[in-house]
Amino acid sequence: MKKISIYAILLFTTVILLSSFKNHVQQQPVNDPTEFEILVKYLEENGNFINSELAPAIILAPEIKDNVRNKKYLVLDIRSEDWYAYGHIQNAENVEGPELLKYFETKITPENYDKITIVCYSGQSAAYYAGLLRLAGYNNVYSLKWGMSSWAEEFATNIWKKNSSDAFANQLETTVNPIPEKTSTPTISTGKTEGKDILKQRIEEAFAKPYKEFIVKAETVFENPSDYYTVNYVSEDRYNFGHVPGAVRYQPNSSLSSTADLYTLPTNKKILVSCDTGLSAAYAVAYLQVLGYDVYNLGYGANSYMNTVLKEKEWNGFSSEEIKEYPVVE
């Protein structure tokens, strides 16, 4: 009888403890996902452009030249009206960069074209806007590599030729800097709860900010490299050859995902994305800007500080060979 009483007490105690544990678990707060998390999840489930082999969406001058009369190819020139009037690609239309989203929404039917190419002076701002448009769901948008500098000598003279340099080739670092641990994420406050709605507002906000505000020159970086968290967005061999002091390598087409290294980017420091040309970086900058990071592009990429090395190693170094001398319309 005594044994039965002891068993009963033990059973009762166990039930009480389990019940208490269950109630404790049920009472644990469950945090709702942040807007940042909702946005990342939405982007990764709907194309994941920046982390795919589709990025960067860059087109070469010969393809545009071969299709100047092809009505399935649309060229949008975002240079100033004066430069457009001075000389532009046949059938290209002049649209201000910040107005591109509105232009796509109200002036054209984007799906009617096989390829829509954004053209600027160097290819960098065009790449940024093309990146935003890709995030907006326009999967037939591209940017012209090297911009109008690849079209004719007169355009390259004051753009790529002027900004290609070896000025800091002797100040490169070869140390492999490790990717840090995961950290906090940006705070996005659109007031929206659906991924598509958050994305729409963030893209609109990005278009409202002039691209020139994202550009950082090489001399600024090499004077004070610690002012930036530099993301070297290049292959391993290029990174190991030499990079901005303190730069950390992030693998293009995969590293900026939630399952890779996205959450290692700091939110308390300016992020500087660097690549060979500033073109791939511009696409990454567009993505990270939409996600709420304080992000910038190293203007003209490694061409701005070790152009000769890039040409010698065939690492996207700008040279006269890139200039096609195609005709323009005045």
Side-chain angles (χ1 to χ4, degrees):
M1 188 71 178
K2 185 179 292 184
K3 288 183 178 180
I4 294 174
S5 298
I6 292 173
Y7 289 148
I9 292 171
L10 288 173
L11 179 61
F12 177 76
T13 303
T14 301
V15 170
I16 293 297
L17 288 173
L18 288 173
S19 177
S20 175
F21 176 75
K22 182 178 180 182
N23 289 334
H24 176 72
V25 171
Q26 290 177 338
Q27 291 173 4
Q28 291 298 307
V30 178
N31 294 325
D32 292 330
T34 64
E35 286 193 30
F36 173 86
E37 292 168 333
I38 294 171
L39 179 55
V40 169
K41 184 174 185 290
Y42 179 80
L43 286 168
E44 292 185 349
E45 290 179 348
N46 290 272
N48 202 11
F49 169 70
I50 200 65
N51 296 303
S52 74
E53 294 301 319
L54 297 175
I58 292 175
I59 196 169
L60 301 179
E63 182 175 350
I64 298 298
K65 171 65 166 57
D66 291 343
N67 288 278
V68 290
R69 294 184 177 85
N70 187 344
K71 293 184 178 180
K72 287 292 186 178
Y73 274 63
L74 175 63
V75 175
L76 300 178
D77 189 328
I78 62 173
R79 295 175 302 153
S80 69
E81 289 185 8
D82 289 343
W83 272 108
Y84 174 81
Y86 177 80
H88 58 267
I89 298 171
Q90 182 178 343
N91 295 323
E93 298 184 20
N94 193 208
V95 183
E96 292 182 6
E99 297 299 314
L100 281 169
L101 183 61
K102 186 184 296 183
Y103 185 86
F104 271 63
E105 293 173 341
T106 63
K107 300 295 184 181
I108 61 172
T109 305
E111 59 268 27
N112 286 348
Y113 299 95
D114 291 339
K115 292 187 177 182
I116 302 174
T117 302
I118 313 300
V119 175
C120 67
Y121 304 95
S122 68
Q124 294 171 103
S125 60
Y128 174 75
Y129 289 120
L132 292 179
L133 290 166
R134 283 272 177 163
L135 294 176
Y138 299 108
N139 297 324
N140 56 347
V141 175
Y142 297 80
S143 60
L144 178 62
K145 187 174 185 179
W146 312 117
M148 286 299 289
S149 294
S150 68
W151 203 262
E153 177 83 25
E154 57 189 331
F155 301 117
T157 299
N158 291 318
I159 303 298
W160 271 103
K161 281 193 166 185
K162 182 179 179 180
N163 290 284
S164 295
S165 166
D166 296 323
F168 303 98
N170 62 348
Q171 295 184 36
L172 304 181
E173 178 187 66
T174 57
T175 302
V176 176
N177 300 302
I179 292 178
E181 297 295 321
K182 292 184 178 181
T183 183
S184 59
T185 56
T187 299
I188 299 175
S189 302
T190 67
K192 313 294 184 182
T193 57
E194 297 292 331
K196 63 179 181 179
D197 297 325
I198 298 172
L199 177 61
K200 185 176 186 297
Q201 182 162 328
R202 290 297 300 166
I203 289 176
E204 290 174 352
E205 291 171 0
F207 267 103
K209 186 174 181 179
Y211 175 72
K212 63 182 180 181
E213 295 184 11
F214 295 106
I215 293 295
V216 175
K217 295 182 177 180
E219 52 264 36
T220 301
V221 180
F222 279 92
E223 284 175 6
N224 296 288
S226 62
D227 286 352
Y228 301 90
Y229 178 82
T230 301
V231 170
N232 213 194
Y233 203 57
V234 296
S235 62
E236 187 173 7
D237 56 340
R238 301 184 194 193
Y239 175 79
N240 290 341
F241 178 85
H243 47 263
V244 173
V248 179
R249 190 181 83 87
Y250 283 68
Q251 178 63 36
N253 307 111
S254 64
S255 62
L256 300 181
S257 70
S258 62
T259 56
D261 304 312
L262 176 64
Y263 292 171
T264 66
L265 296 174
T267 56
N268 61 348
K269 197 169 187 178
K270 294 179 178 179
I271 298 170
L272 180 71
V273 186
S274 171
C275 68
D276 297 332
T277 61
L279 306 180
S280 294
Y283 279 91
V285 168
Y287 183 73
L288 295 176
Q289 162 68 11
V290 167
L291 292 184
Y293 288 97
D294 187 13
V295 63
Y296 302 85
N297 190 357
L298 176 57
Y300 300 92
N303 273 278
S304 67
Y305 59 82
M306 60 172 189
N307 172 255
T308 298
V309 169
L310 298 182
K311 289 189 290 186
E312 290 174 349
K313 293 183 173 293
E314 298 183 346
W315 286 348
N316 275 318
F318 184 81
S319 70
S320 295
E321 294 179 4
E322 306 295 343
I323 306 171
K324 303 306 178 184
E325 286 300 340
Y326 292 148
V328 296
V329 177
E330 296 180 2

